[in-house]
Amino acid sequence: MYRSAINAAWTDLSIEHKELSSRHLRELFAEDPARGNELTLTAGDLYIDYSKNLVTRDTLELLMALGRAAALDERRDEMFAGGHINSTEDRAVLHTALRRPPEDELSIDGQNITNDVHDVLGRMGDFTDRLRSGSWRGASGERITAVVNIGIGGSDLGPAMVHRALRTYSAESLEVRFVSNVDPADLTAALHGLDPARTLFVVASKTFTTLETLSNAACARRWLTESLGEQAVAQHFVAVSTNTEEVAAFGIDPVNMFGFWEWVGGRYSVCSSIGLAVMAAIGKERFAEFLAGFHLMDTHFQTAPMEQNAPVVLGLLNVWYASFFGAQTRAILPYAQDLARLPAYLQQLAMESNGKSVQLDGEPVLVPTGAILWGEPGTNGQHAFHQLLHQGTTLVPADLIGFARPAVDLPAIGSPATMHEILLSNLLAQSQVLAFGRTAEEIEAEGTSRDVVAHKIMPGNRPSTTILAPMLTPSVLGQLIALYEHQVFVEGCVWGINSFDQWGVELGKTQALALQPALTAAEDPADYVDSSTEALVSWIRSTRTSV
Ligand SMILES: O=P(O)(O)OC[C@H]1O[C@](O)(CO)[C@@H](O)[C@@H]1O
């Protein structure tokens, strides 16, 4: 029943796609001028204009039918209730439990996990209060002035992105830095200028077995102990993990460990103790506002009718472009420099979740699934890749994200507008030009010479969604992240894939370990399965010895 309903909805949408392929957003707006006001959504503090997407109201009805056929409501409720929807790892997917208010109990296997969550939040709050007030001292009695978060993937991208986004809310007395790459350049740069006596490391790893993180943590530990001695580790290292045994084996006292749970996926973990470095920067009160923002969007996702449900509408639009238009990428264009790391964060969220080619039952997926996400803050991207967005041959749906008020504004010299107003006018212009372009007639009418007209035509009809909020606050950031988390969920349900495992990254890890001897052994072990790897190793070995 479920499969046949999806197939029927899919067939209807294929027909709709054919019909819409010959239409232009100019026509769609002319036919339905109210769409600019009405194809919009309000979710928490976010105002979302999706009117400049390649859909009519009929298309939207068909997309909703697809969502109903995919049993979105039931699947969502199963996730929120702790069903083991991560079937290949037999795990619940409960990142939403990390942001429930204390009174909002959730019982899993007889345990009220909301209490567990708030116990850890309480410990994080006490610890970060001590750091921020200066009552947590280093081994030589100095105040801690720098926190270095060592983690990778979800144990880095979330806190690093959020820390940057909430820069203006951060304490000036505590500098927070991030190290992720096993490239020694990363750790070296992060430690540059730091005083061991005033530095605290947060080793963030869900599994506490990740090679990059443990390698960086071991080097950081040596850097510290060379200057302060072994006994300094207790005051200068804390861990964030689910793996107490490995934390202890590394030499961090579990008393200085902040736990979370296997039902929190790495890329969904910024609300857990993985957010410790963020809490250290912005304080527990602001961190609570951040979590409340997520919860607001969670509640919207759970309660808003499908047609007004922002993650549902946007998630279905993502499916529309990826699976029907074959759009392989989506651009994330924050018109906010403080969101510079948002595209990288969303890459992991979306691509590790939905970069899959088998369905839940192990059968191949028959349609294109997760798109490649990429992007840069506006207006920088305009001077780099927007040319292709406007006149290239590839369809790239774009999300433009902006804020009515900036944290700080500056008067623009020689213009009545402020810098922030200039920024916002660029966002508005891009959304308009992408959609409506400029015709040959309009260009000719400007007096352009005939042989240049074709080059200047702006085809338009390039879809975009505009997401606006009053200001980039902790709560708004939480809402925005949760909006994307739930879109990913919606897409995964429709495609019938498991959005919560990541088997595709495992083989590379084991192969890297297997290849280490090729670089470290005195003699080249020359035990390769392919001639390309053999030649690459040989080139590296000979080049290293010849320098
Ligand atoms: O937090 P951990 O266990 O160190 O894992 C880091 C990252 O590695 C991955 O497992 C895969 O690269 C991500 O999903 C995760 O966020």
Side-chain angles (χ1 to χ4, degrees), residues 152-155 205-208 210 266-267 348 352 502 505 509:
I152 196 164
S155 302
S205 173
K206 179 177 171 181
T207 56
F208 229 78
T210 303
R267 51 193 176 273
Q348 189 201 12
E352 201 165 71
Q502 58 283 322
V505 298
K509 295 181 189 171

Side-chain angles (χ1 to χ4, degrees), residues 223-408:
W223 176 83
L224 179 94
T225 55
E226 274 173 4
S227 130
L228 299 178
E230 266 303 316
Q231 78 294 342
V233 171
Q235 279 111 309
H236 292 266
F237 270 82
V238 300
V240 171
S241 186
T242 57
N243 192 341
T244 315
E245 245 171 55
E246 290 295 332
V247 167
F250 179 84
I252 298 178
D253 188 339
V255 170
N256 293 332
M257 166 178 159
F258 300 87
F260 60 111
W261 304 270
E262 70 164 25
W263 39 260
V264 183
R267 51 193 176 273
Y268 298 88
S269 65
V270 69
C271 298
S272 73
S273 46
I274 290 288
L276 187 69
V278 173
M279 193 192 270
I282 66 173
K284 66 183 181 200
E285 294 79 10
R286 294 295 196 187
F287 197 79
E289 290 168 24
F290 176 58
L291 298 186
F294 278 90
H295 184 64
L296 198 66
M297 188 57 67
D298 293 343
T299 308
H300 168 87
F301 182 44
Q302 284 182 288
T303 56
M306 273 183 105
E307 293 73 11
Q308 290 147 38
N309 193 308
V312 170
V313 173
L314 300 186
L316 289 169
L317 285 171
N318 297 340
V319 171
W320 177 232
Y321 292 120
S323 298
F324 292 88
F325 286 79
Q328 293 184 344
T329 86
R330 269 172 44 217
I332 305 294
L333 309 173
Y335 277 71
Q337 191 61 29
D338 288 339
L339 286 180
R341 294 291 285 157
L342 182 69
Y345 172 80
L346 294 182
Q347 278 175 340
Q348 189 201 12
L349 177 65
M351 292 161 73
E352 201 165 71
S353 297
N354 287 344
K356 310 281 164 69
S357 49
V358 290
Q359 299 176 63
L360 287 164
D361 59 7
E363 290 299 313
V365 175
L366 301 174
V367 296
T369 59
I372 298 161
L373 265 59
W374 58 281
E376 277 289 321
T379 59
N380 296 5
Q382 291 174 213
H383 297 270
F385 52 77
H386 280 229
Q387 165 64 38
L388 184 148
L389 300 188
H390 289 295
Q391 288 187 315
T393 52
T394 311
L395 180 75
V396 185
D399 285 359
L400 303 147
I401 302 167
F403 302 93
R405 293 193 302 275
V408 190

